[in-house]
Amino acid sequence: MKRRKKSVRMSMMAGASAAAIAISLFGAGSAQAAGQHVSADCATTGAFGILHLDEGDTPYSRFSIWMQLKDTLADGHHVKIRFLSKRVGSSATVKWQWHSQYLGAGPTLDVSTEGQDKYGIAASGIEVARFEGGTKLNSCTAWT
């Protein structure tokens, strides 16, 4: 699995709900596939995340990943997001690096990166979770 330089940006989306963010970015039915561009989103108590993936020409090609994470509950817990994949010919889930947002409810975390798996990517998704320290409290997953 090759990973390329990533770009992480924090931003404020004042007055925007998690659902409104998804609709404004991807339209009303945000978990959709359209040619080479796929997306997914999921929400769990206190956290909401979006994945947008530009697939390569083959499952073995380099691909672009953009994820957005929002803490939706002012409860003192932090939230995380990570890319998930399944390799060609395997049902096992490959769990990529977590990206954390510690600023509390309101700010969003944008993650832009690229990846490649020499075994090929047959399926892609995200996991969004709320944490207390290193303990995962709750999470959701969504697949493209």
Side-chain angles (χ1 to χ4, degrees):
M1 209 176 327
K2 282 186 174 179
R3 295 186 186 148
R4 222 169 175 210
K5 181 181 166 187
K6 67 179 180 188
S7 166
V8 178
R9 186 182 99 234
M10 297 295 291
S11 63
M12 296 290 288
M13 295 194 78
S17 70
I21 294 167
I23 291 168
S24 70
L25 291 171
F26 299 114
S30 66
Q32 60 188 345
Q36 301 270 356
H37 309 287
V38 294
S39 60
D41 62 72
C42 72
T44 187
T45 301
F48 176 77
I50 299 170
L51 166 69
H52 180 72
L53 182 69
D54 290 329
E55 297 177 324
D57 294 333
T58 73
Y60 306 94
S61 299
R62 182 175 311 281
F63 53 93
S64 297
I65 303 167
W66 178 78
M67 298 181 289
Q68 186 174 65
L69 175 65
K70 183 171 180 74
D71 186 335
T72 61
L73 190 60
D75 60 359
H77 300 297
H78 64 283
V79 295
K80 297 184 179 188
I81 191 169
R82 68 177 164 189
F83 182 70
L84 303 173
S85 62
K86 293 186 187 235
R87 291 179 169 154
V88 173
S90 174
S91 61
T93 299
V94 177
K95 298 175 181 176
W96 296 52
Q97 169 187 350
W98 282 112
H99 301 278
S100 304
Q101 197 275 69
Y102 292 97
L103 298 177
T108 57
L109 172 71
D110 293 304
V111 179
S112 295
T113 189
E114 290 184 324
Q116 185 174 20
D117 189 325
K118 68 180 180 180
Y119 299 105
I121 301 286
S124 56
I126 54 169
E127 181 178 10
V128 174
R130 183 172 60 141
F131 278 79
E132 174 61 38
T135 303
K136 187 190 311 180
L137 302 176
N138 53 285
S139 67
C140 63
T141 58
W143 294 89
T144 60

